[in-house]
Amino acid sequence: MSVVVPTFREGSQIREVLDHVAALPGRWEVVVADGASDDATAALAEAHPSRPRVLRSGGGRAAQCNDALALVTGDVVLVLHADSRLPHDAHARIAAALQRRPGVVGGNFALRFDGADRFSRLLTAWYALQRRGGWYYGDSSVWCTRS
């Protein structure tokens, strides 16, 4: 499975998200698609011990993802924002979804906002309702099959 991390000025978060993916069970190919950040995002990604491929791209998140898709080799591609985290069993969940439902082309993970405050709980509930309605956002780590 391939993980594409589109970044722009994510120097403060890139190490943490790469550490997170590196600690997840499963085999992950990671590509950081940096959108011409003017901070140290790309350099920090290149120096990370997990050795992700780093692509310097321009034009915004969609262009970054499209450029990264030309590089990845996984049968499944997941887009992970630098400020989002996957569940520990993400790899197994995706594999199970593909086995359980032949022909499925993609999915996403439920969004849960950190914080015990009322606003965080409200946002978590709101996004759960939207997800039931079939509306997905990039923050929910959307994944799809290569085909």
Side-chain angles (χ1 to χ4, degrees), residues 98 101 103-108 143-145:
L98 292 168
R101 296 180 53 205
V104 71
V105 296
N108 74 326
W143 60 269
C144 65
T145 59

Side-chain angles (χ1 to χ4, degrees), residues 26-143:
R27 191 166 160 228
W28 301 97
E29 170 193 37
V30 180
V31 174
V32 174
D34 186 61
S37 295
D38 55 5
D39 66 359
T41 301
L44 289 168
E46 288 171 335
H48 194 269
S50 67
R51 299 200 166 286
R53 292 178 73 179
V54 178
L55 167 68
R56 286 173 170 82
S57 181
R61 191 168 279 164
Q64 290 166 250
C65 289
N66 286 332
D67 290 347
L69 287 173
L71 294 179
V72 297
T73 60
D75 292 331
V76 172
V77 180
L78 181 141
V79 178
L80 178 63
H81 292 183
D83 62 350
S84 295
R85 300 297 175 262
L86 295 169
H88 182 72
D89 59 348
H91 197 283
R93 285 189 193 188
I94 293 170
L98 292 168
Q99 260 186 338
R100 204 173 43 247
R101 296 180 53 205
V104 71
V105 296
N108 74 326
F109 291 93
L111 270 171
R112 186 179 65 235
F113 288 83
D114 289 339
D117 59 287
R118 186 175 182 206
F119 186 66
S120 294
R121 289 191 308 272
L122 178 66
L123 279 178
T124 298
W126 175 250
Y127 279 101
L129 284 173
Q130 288 184 319
R131 188 171 187 248
R132 283 186 172 191
W135 297 304
Y136 309 116
Y137 295 90
D139 288 334
S140 65
S141 303
V142 175
W143 60 269

